[in-house]
Amino acid sequence: MYEPIRTKSVHSTVDGPNPDFPHRSREEELDIQLAGHLAALLTVTDELRAADGSADLDTAAERLAEQVRRLRGGRVLARAPMSGSRREKSAAALHRRAHALAGRALVVAASRADTAAAILAAERMDAHTAALEPRPLASR
């Protein structure tokens, strides 16, 4: 009823892996993912610094840049200038975005057993959670 397949499959190779195709290890893939998440978190951190600079955000940006540089093999990270952002977003939206990015970075850092990146991501999650909490009114 069915005719047998007479051509080679395009989905698998009989000869083994193709030497012309670059292959990366799981660790290299996780490094790339982690560097991407931390770079995105750094971008949002820079946006927050431009909107409402603080010493905590400055320190966080330096630490994030250092981790991204380490994961990218020492290559310098291109960053946007600190001038006002063209996209005006609320600080709360930026903190929510940063919290989500830090969470993603934490998951990848934990799966790759990168303690320094995991601690930094967890600290950033805590900082952005605290920034989203309502502050009590000051009594007179």
Side-chain angles (χ1 to χ4, degrees), residues 36-60:
H37 291 315
L38 291 176
L41 179 57
L42 177 59
T43 300
V44 176
T45 302
D46 283 341
E47 287 183 39
L48 281 165
R49 288 174 60 213
D52 181 36
S54 73
D56 178 51
L57 289 172
D58 293 342
T59 303

Side-chain angles (χ1 to χ4, degrees), residues 11-134:
H11 299 289
S12 64
T13 59
V14 178
D15 301 330
N18 185 351
D20 296 334
F21 185 74
H23 295 281
R24 290 189 283 255
S25 68
R26 180 176 186 273
E27 290 77 22
E28 291 170 325
E29 289 293 337
L30 289 174
D31 282 351
I32 292 167
Q33 276 187 10
L34 183 56
H37 291 315
L38 291 176
L41 179 57
L42 177 59
T43 300
V44 176
T45 302
D46 283 341
E47 287 183 39
L48 281 165
R49 288 174 60 213
D52 181 36
S54 73
D56 178 51
L57 289 172
D58 293 342
T59 303
E62 289 173 19
R63 291 177 63 201
L64 287 166
E66 177 185 324
Q67 289 298 317
V68 172
R69 195 175 311 112
R70 176 182 62 87
L71 291 165
R72 290 187 174 171
R75 286 182 284 159
V76 177
L77 180 66
R79 292 173 62 184
M82 278 283 295
S83 63
S85 175
R86 280 183 271 165
R87 296 178 300 169
E88 292 298 323
K89 292 184 178 179
S90 72
L94 289 172
H95 282 294
R96 281 191 295 274
R97 176 81 177 131
H99 184 273
L101 288 166
R104 290 182 188 130
L106 178 59
V107 169
V108 177
S111 69
R112 114 177 243 293
D114 188 334
T115 307
I119 290 170
L120 178 57
E123 288 173 357
R124 296 317 309 152
M125 285 182 74
D126 290 343
H128 293 296
T129 299
L132 288 170
E133 292 175 353

